[in-house]
Amino acid sequence: MKSDIVDRIVIALVVGTLALPGLVLAAEGQQGVQEEQKRAKDEKQQQRKEDQQLERTQRKSEQEQKQQEHRVQQEQKQQEQKQKQDQQQLERSQRESEQYQKELRARQQQQQERIERQSQQIQQERAQQQRQDQIQQQRQQQRLSQQQQQQRIREQQQLVAQYRQHLEQEERLAREHAARLQQQKRMAQYRFQEEYLERLRQQQIYLRDHRFDYDNDPYFYSAPIYRYNRGGKYYQTNEYGARTLRQAVRYGYEEGFRAGKADRDDRWRGGSYKDSYAYRDANYGYNGYYVNRTDYNYYFREGFRRGYEDGYNSRYRYGRNDNGNYSILDNIMSQILGFQNLR
């Protein structure tokens, strides 16, 4: 029995010895499988990381491409909008230019019609005045002496020379006043002043080219037949001087009405008739003859003030409107001048 136990032990040892290499091989095989699985797992993880990195790169590229496309679209849109704005500005400028040209032609036409009406009026006044002159000459019982006549001619020539110098000096003041009107955006008043200055230029051309016949003009030998009061002092004049002062009042009212209407059109509330260049100048219609410039300016401004009030308030308190011709009422003119007959 003891022998059997020993035999079994020996057999077990032999079997164990024989099985040990197989176990070792099995263990090594198991380890190799595990390492292979780990390698495969690492490779899979690496591949997944690379795939994720590739996806991120693709998404980033797609995002950048979309952003680039968006920027291009925005730039195209902005460029189209700018082109549209430029086109609208060009069309607006063209419309404004066409409107300005249209208004300019209309003003020129009105100016031409006004000049023609004034020319006809002057001719009618001259014809009427010639008839009145004949009557006045018949009324006059006294004629100035040759010495008085020559003295009056010399005084008149001095006045004309001084007046021409004054007109040249006024050009600079007119330009400065026009610049202020443009800064204040008073375009209606600016247009009125430009028209007024154009009439003054025509007046200067007439004075430059006109040759006055002192020896044969009846003013220089006609005795005074009226007296008038200005500033508390009395002055005397004949019919030719009286006619010039009436003209000053009449032209003053007409220009004042246009100036007041221009300020009303500009909705200008910051000034008055005294701010108008035409009021300060007060020389339209004056040719330097028959009365001194101070008298003419005074009565021009008296008419201008009343015309401005009517034009600004769109009424006819002091005058009337006859198809665009603004004229002062006869009774108002008589009140302003206050002529008294000397005979």
Side-chain angles (χ1 to χ4, degrees), residues 253-266:
Y253 178 86
E254 183 177 351
E255 298 302 318
F257 192 98
R258 292 195 178 96
K261 184 177 181 300
D263 272 351
R264 178 166 56 85
D265 292 342
D266 286 332

Side-chain angles (χ1 to χ4, degrees), residues 24-191:
V24 171
L25 291 174
E28 291 177 352
Q30 181 70 24
Q31 184 177 2
V33 170
Q34 289 178 352
E35 290 177 355
E36 184 66 26
Q37 289 177 347
K38 182 179 180 182
R39 234 181 356 261
K41 183 177 180 181
D42 292 341
E43 291 176 355
K44 187 175 181 180
Q45 289 178 348
Q46 182 66 26
Q47 184 66 35
R48 185 182 300 112
K49 290 180 180 178
E50 292 177 356
D51 292 342
Q52 291 175 349
Q53 179 67 28
L54 179 61
E55 289 178 1
R56 283 195 297 270
T57 303
Q58 289 176 346
R59 286 197 300 270
K60 183 177 180 181
S61 177
E62 291 174 355
Q63 185 176 6
E64 290 176 351
Q65 184 176 0
K66 289 181 180 179
Q67 291 177 349
Q68 180 66 22
E69 291 175 354
H70 180 70
R71 284 195 297 271
V72 171
Q73 291 175 354
Q74 289 293 324
E75 291 175 356
Q76 291 177 346
K77 185 176 180 180
Q78 291 175 356
Q79 186 175 4
E80 291 174 356
Q81 186 175 4
K82 185 176 184 303
Q83 291 176 349
K84 184 177 179 180
Q85 291 175 349
D86 292 342
Q87 182 65 24
Q88 291 176 346
Q89 179 65 28
L90 178 61
E91 293 175 354
R92 189 159 51 246
S93 299
Q94 290 176 345
R95 287 196 300 269
E96 291 176 354
S97 177
E98 292 173 356
Q99 181 66 23
Y100 174 77
Q101 292 296 330
K102 183 178 179 181
E103 293 177 354
L104 180 60
R105 288 192 296 270
R107 289 197 300 273
Q108 290 174 343
Q109 180 66 25
Q110 292 175 356
Q111 179 72 5
Q112 183 63 30
E113 292 176 353
R114 188 180 303 116
I115 292 173
E116 291 176 356
R117 287 195 301 268
Q118 290 176 347
S119 177
Q120 293 175 357
Q121 184 178 1
I122 290 173
Q123 291 177 358
Q124 293 174 357
E125 290 175 354
R126 285 178 178 174
Q128 181 181 359
Q129 194 59 45
Q130 287 177 355
R131 293 191 295 269
Q132 292 179 356
D133 291 344
Q134 294 175 356
I135 296 173
Q136 290 298 330
Q137 288 176 5
Q138 294 174 0
R139 290 173 53 192
Q140 290 178 356
Q141 299 176 354
Q142 180 182 358
R143 181 181 174 121
L144 296 179
S145 66
Q146 185 69 21
Q147 183 179 0
Q148 290 174 318
Q149 181 179 348
Q150 291 302 317
Q151 176 64 24
R152 182 175 287 184
I153 290 174
R154 286 193 296 271
E155 292 174 353
Q156 181 66 79
Q157 290 172 336
Q158 292 177 357
L159 290 175
V160 171
Q162 293 172 0
Y163 178 53
R164 289 177 178 175
Q165 292 177 356
H166 172 77
L167 289 178
E168 294 174 357
Q169 295 172 355
E170 282 295 307
E171 291 185 3
R172 178 180 58 81
L173 298 177
R175 289 194 298 268
E176 293 176 355
H177 196 271
R180 285 196 298 272
L181 292 176
Q182 289 179 310
Q183 292 175 355
Q184 295 169 345
K185 301 187 183 302
R186 298 168 62 184
M187 300 313 298
Q189 189 65 235
Y190 172 78
R191 287 192 294 269

Side-chain angles (χ1 to χ4, degrees), residues 221-249:
Y221 57 76
S222 298
I225 59 174
Y226 297 114
R227 77 168 186 169
Y228 59 95
N229 187 303
R230 182 177 66 80
K233 294 183 179 181
Y234 281 99
Y235 302 87
Q236 294 183 354
T237 187
N238 57 22
E239 180 59 33
Y240 302 95
R243 182 199 317 170
T244 303
L245 295 180
R246 293 190 190 98
Q247 176 179 284
V249 177

